[in-house]
């Protein structure tokens, strides 16, 4: 890990040297490289072929946001998320913001970083923090390696009863609904507003966009649940194949699922 850390620090130091030309997004590539190389080293060290997969989220919705990196097991379960802040951001303050509360609806395993400082949260509470300097001591490197190991080896969260399932689905509905509501006055979202008009025609001519967003979000989450229940255990669902696993007699649900 020592070589990985040194390479990473060299890369972010070079970005920092650009001054005002560097943005929060400038640091994403070295962070992603570090995360992927760490996963590879952990897999090699444990002789495991079930390494985590790292996806940098391609889009972020204003006022809602999405964690910058999603970490999943190859089985499809979510291990956790990494959220990147601009250098010198107040990470401690960020742990109390509503944004982190929204992330907790997705996973209890969250990493915050401003590229130099790394904070690991479990259930919204900090459990380990490491600050890297340009020349960290061997002890600091060891602590940082351990922080990454703890994060990546977190167990995929499983849902064992109806109450937990309802809470998990509700959290995702809220996040999706908030995202939809940000497009209320977005004239470029032709399909979304066309669907809104269809809902008004079919359900209620006086339907308001916020209520539509709530209803639509609940329906989309139900689509995912229904597809998961009907798909073979070995199938890995994504937004492109979900519709094939929704029974034909759920015609309206299948039609709405096509929106995704």
């Amino acid at each position: 890990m020592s070589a990985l850390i040194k390479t990473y620090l060299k890369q972010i130091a070079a970005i920092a040297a650009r001054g005002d030309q560097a943005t929060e997004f400038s640091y994403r590539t070295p962070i992603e490289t570090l995360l992927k190389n760490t996963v590879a080293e952990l897999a090699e060290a444990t002789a495991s072929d079930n390494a985590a997969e790292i996806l940098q989220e391609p889009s972020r919705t204003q006022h809602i946001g999405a964690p910058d990196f999603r970490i999943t097991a190859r089985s499809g379960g979510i291990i956790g998320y990494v959220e990147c802040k601009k250098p010198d951001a107040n990470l401690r303050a960020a742990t109390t913001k509503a944004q982190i509360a929204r992330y907790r609806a997705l996973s209890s395993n969250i990493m915050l970083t401003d590229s130099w400082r790394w904070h690991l949260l479990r259930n919204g509470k900090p459990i380990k923090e490491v600050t890297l300097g340009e020349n960290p001591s061997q002890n600091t490197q060891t602590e940082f390696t351990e922080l990454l190991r703890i994060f990546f080896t977190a167990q995929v969260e499983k849902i064992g009863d109806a109450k937990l399932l309802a809470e998990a689905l509700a959290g995702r509905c809220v996040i999706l609904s908030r995202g939809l509501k940000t497009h209320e006055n977005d004239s470029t979202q032709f399909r979304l507003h066309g669907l809104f008009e269809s809902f008004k025609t079919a359900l209620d001519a006086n339907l308001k966009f916020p209520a539509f967003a709530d209803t639509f979000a609940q329906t989309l989450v139900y689509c995912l649940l229904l597809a998961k229940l009907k798909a073979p255990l070995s199938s890995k669902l994504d937004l492109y194949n979900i519709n094939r696993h929704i029974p034909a007699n759920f015609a309206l649900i299948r039609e709405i699922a096509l929106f995704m």
Side-chain angles (χ1 to χ4, degrees), residues 80-228:
Y81 291 90
V82 177
E83 169 68 5
C84 304
K85 302 294 185 182
K86 64 181 181 180
D88 299 321
N90 189 335
L91 295 184
R92 287 187 179 275
T95 63
T96 64
K97 290 183 178 179
Q99 184 183 42
I100 301 303
R102 291 197 291 271
Y103 295 167
R104 286 182 61 194
L106 300 174
S107 173
S108 62
N109 189 37
I110 303 290
M111 183 88 80
L112 297 177
T113 181
D114 70 350
S115 299
W116 298 101
R117 292 171 295 164
W118 295 70
H119 290 192
L120 177 58
L121 311 177
R122 286 284 168 81
N123 297 309
K125 298 179 180 179
I127 65 168
K128 194 171 183 64
E129 302 174 3
V130 175
T131 298
L132 297 169
E134 290 191 19
N135 295 292
S137 66
Q138 186 58 51
N139 182 62
T140 298
Q141 293 185 52
T142 300
E143 287 296 305
F144 183 58
T145 300
E146 177 64 7
L147 176 144
L148 293 176
R149 187 196 66 79
I150 294 172
F151 174 74
F152 281 114
T153 57
Q155 294 295 311
V156 173
E157 297 172 28
K158 297 181 179 180
I159 297 175
D161 60 53
K163 182 175 183 295
L164 289 176
L165 176 61
E167 290 173 348
L169 295 179
R172 285 156 174 78
C173 279
V174 169
I175 292 170
L176 180 55
S177 176
R178 286 172 176 164
L180 291 170
K181 289 172 184 175
T182 64
H183 295 295
E184 180 174 2
N185 299 311
D186 185 351
S187 60
T188 66
Q189 295 293 324
F190 303 112
R191 291 184 64 197
L192 180 62
H193 284 275
L195 194 61
F196 173 41
E197 293 302 322
S198 296
F199 267 56
K200 289 172 67 176
T201 300
L203 301 176
D204 181 359
N206 296 316
L207 183 69
K208 304 301 182 184
F209 193 89
F212 156 73
D214 290 339
T215 301
F216 188 36
Q218 293 167 22
T219 305
L220 288 181
V221 170
Y222 178 69
C223 288
L224 293 168
L225 174 61
L226 183 61
K228 183 63 176 177

